[in-house]
């Protein structure tokens, strides 16, 4: 098991925190995080993103890491990097959400940031070569027990507490028939946890089609029309798909559903702006 608490509880407990205590991480907690980051496995598609724990003010006092004032108080960040020439966005999302839930397990606050960060400053703090880029980061730290009003307003503005329903996300055999929980049987829990995944601007671009008569679940990315990629064409909606895959897999494993990811090279069954990503082939 990767986590102490159940994945379902962690997924439910996680939400984006934008206000942090200035208290630095306890050395023991820091050690646990560094150990976890150092042991990050390869992604499902075989790419190897790297993850670093860095301080707001690095050793070079001139570098101050920026989040455009949106994140308050955070002293420490997890920063992830991938290759520019072979960008494994899906793998990145999958592995970074594994880290985010690990931090949730340690009772720490996090907030995925793919838009509101100064990438140049973070790259400088890491001495990042041009061949690498930063798709997203998260602050990590202790949170105050209750959310501030400011936080609630930002969350409300992002529609953070709402998620699309099953009818819009999950399909039975083809895109014209929505999937009922009874048909998904035990897989209704992993799917429900896909639904609660975080996504950039809460757009929830994941769509899943169940194969008729089989526990096979085909994952598609349905792009949000007009959604603008941040600088350097970083594909945050593919990152979102990786996050959803991690939720699905970790919960399936927890309830002893066996299966594996496969690229079945399926065609796009949705109308426009959609693409096939990967399939979960359950036994
Ligand atoms: C890939 C990705 C990028 C994100 N980028 C930002 C960001 O730049 N700024 C921000 O305030 N929130 C960002 N978020 C957080 C989302 O707005 C948030 O996850 C979503 O609204 C759902 O709310 P919740 O995380 O509280 O469940 C990002 C989330 C993801 C998954």
């Amino acid at each position: 098991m990767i986590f102490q608490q159940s994945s379902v509880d962690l997924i439910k407990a996680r939400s984006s925190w934008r206000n942090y205590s200035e208290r630095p991480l306890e050395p023991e907690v820091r050690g646990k995080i560094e150990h976890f980051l150092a042991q990050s496995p390869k992604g499902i598609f075989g790419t190897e993103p790297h993850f670093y724990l860095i301080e707001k003010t690095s050793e070079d006092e001139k570098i101050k890491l920026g989040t455009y004032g949106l994140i308050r108080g955070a002293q420490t960040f997890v920063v992830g990097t991938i290759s520019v020439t072979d960008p494994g966005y899906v793998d990145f999302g999958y592995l970074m959400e594994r880290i985010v839930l690990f931090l949730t397990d340690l009772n720490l606050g996090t907030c995925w940031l793919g838009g509101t960060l100064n990438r140049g400053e973070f790259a400088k703090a890491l001495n990042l070569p041009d061949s690498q880029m930063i798709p997203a980061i998260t602050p990590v730290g202790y949170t105050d027990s209750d959310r501030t009003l400011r936080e609630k307003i930002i969350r409300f503005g992002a529609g953070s507490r709402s998620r699309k329903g099953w009818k819009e996300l999950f399909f039975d055999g083809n895109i014209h028939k929505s999937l009922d929980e009874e048909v998904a049987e035990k897989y209704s829990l992993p799917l429900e946890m896909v639904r609660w995944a975080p996504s950039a601007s809460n757009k929830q671009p994941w769509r899943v089609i169940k194969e008729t008569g089989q526990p096979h679940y085909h994952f598609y990315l349905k792009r949000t029309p007009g959604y603008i990629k941040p600088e350097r064409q970083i594909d945050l909606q593919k990152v979102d798909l990786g996050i959803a895959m991690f939720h699905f897999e970790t919960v399936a494993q927890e309830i002893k559903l066996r299966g594996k990811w496969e690229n079945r090279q399926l065609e796009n069954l949705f109308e426009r702006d959609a693409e096939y990503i990967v399939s979960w082939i359950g036994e």
Side-chain angles (χ1 to χ4, degrees):
M1 292 299 284
I2 317 171
F3 311 122
Q4 299 288 320
Q5 300 168 69
S6 93
S7 312
V8 172
D9 287 350
L10 295 174
I11 289 168
K12 287 183 180 165
R14 185 217 58 83
S15 62
S16 294
W17 285 89
R18 296 183 177 86
N19 286 290
Y20 294 81
S21 149
E22 291 187 4
R23 183 158 64 98
L25 296 177
E26 305 284 344
E28 194 201 331
V29 171
R30 209 193 156 86
K32 281 186 187 167
I33 300 171
E34 275 169 345
H35 182 71
F36 192 77
L37 298 189
Q39 296 201 327
S40 191
K42 274 190 187 176
I44 300 295
F45 293 98
T47 66
E48 285 183 87
H50 291 96
F51 298 96
Y52 306 89
L53 194 64
I54 61 174
E55 294 305 310
K56 184 173 164 71
T57 305
S58 67
E59 281 158 28
D60 177 350
E61 284 291 317
K62 283 184 221 118
I63 301 174
K64 289 244 171 32
L65 303 175
T67 58
Y68 306 128
L70 200 94
I71 302 295
R72 300 258 172 94
Q75 303 299 309
T76 311
F77 294 87
V78 173
V79 182
T81 65
I82 61 173
S83 153
V84 170
T85 45
D86 179 23
Y89 293 111
V90 177
D91 279 353
F92 179 84
Y94 174 94
L95 291 171
M96 178 113 167
E97 183 66 358
R98 185 174 177 272
I99 294 166
V100 163
L101 294 181
F102 178 77
L103 299 172
T104 309
D105 202 17
L106 295 177
N107 253 323
L108 298 169
T110 56
C111 182
W112 272 92
L113 294 177
T116 53
L117 73 148
N118 187 327
R119 284 199 166 75
E121 286 178 6
F122 282 91
K124 209 163 144 193
L126 286 175
N127 269 329
L128 204 65
D130 286 347
S131 58
Q132 298 283 309
M133 64 178 162
I134 300 171
I137 63 166
T138 177
V140 50
Y142 302 104
T143 56
D144 301 327
S145 55
D146 200 10
R147 292 178 185 278
T148 64
L149 184 62
R150 178 177 157 270
E151 175 111 2
K152 284 179 184 159
I153 292 167
I154 293 174
R155 284 174 57 77
F156 185 76
S160 299
R161 277 174 222 186
S162 59
R163 292 293 194 267
K164 294 184 198 304
W166 272 59
K167 281 193 165 37
E168 226 178 308
L169 300 177
F170 309 137
F171 301 89
D172 187 356
N174 62 66
I175 61 158
H176 304 294
K177 192 174 171 200
S178 56
L179 181 64
D180 289 335
E181 293 197 36
E182 300 81 69
V183 176
E185 295 180 332
K186 287 185 179 161
Y187 275 98
S188 60
L189 188 60
L191 288 170
E192 181 65 8
M193 293 303 118
V194 164
R195 209 165 79 76
W196 285 103
S199 58
S201 304
N202 205 19
K203 296 292 185 200
Q204 307 154 63
W206 43 78
R207 300 290 180 272
V208 182
I209 305 181
K210 180 188 179 297
E211 201 165 302
T212 309
Q214 299 272 14
H216 297 175
Y217 290 85
H218 307 300
F219 281 61
Y220 290 81
L221 161 57
K222 189 161 187 332
R223 291 190 185 279
T224 308
Y227 186 79
I228 301 157
K229 290 180 193 171
E231 58 194 282
R232 294 181 94 176
Q233 297 294 301
I234 289 172
D235 197 339
L236 290 180
Q237 295 211 302
K238 272 205 172 153
V239 172
D240 292 342
L241 256 290
I243 297 173
M245 283 166 62
F246 185 74
H247 281 201
F248 185 91
E249 182 196 274
T250 190
V251 173
Q253 284 173 350
E254 194 163 277
I255 58 172
K256 309 274 186 281
L257 294 171
R258 291 161 63 95
K260 58 179 191 303
W261 296 108
E262 266 181 31
N263 181 355
R264 294 255 161 142
Q265 299 185 337
L266 302 180
E267 59 178 310
N268 167 33
L269 298 178
F270 293 87
E271 281 159 23
R272 253 175 287 133
D273 293 330
E275 63 191 275
Y276 168 72
I277 302 290
V278 74
S279 300
W280 173 266
I281 306 301
E283 286 176 7

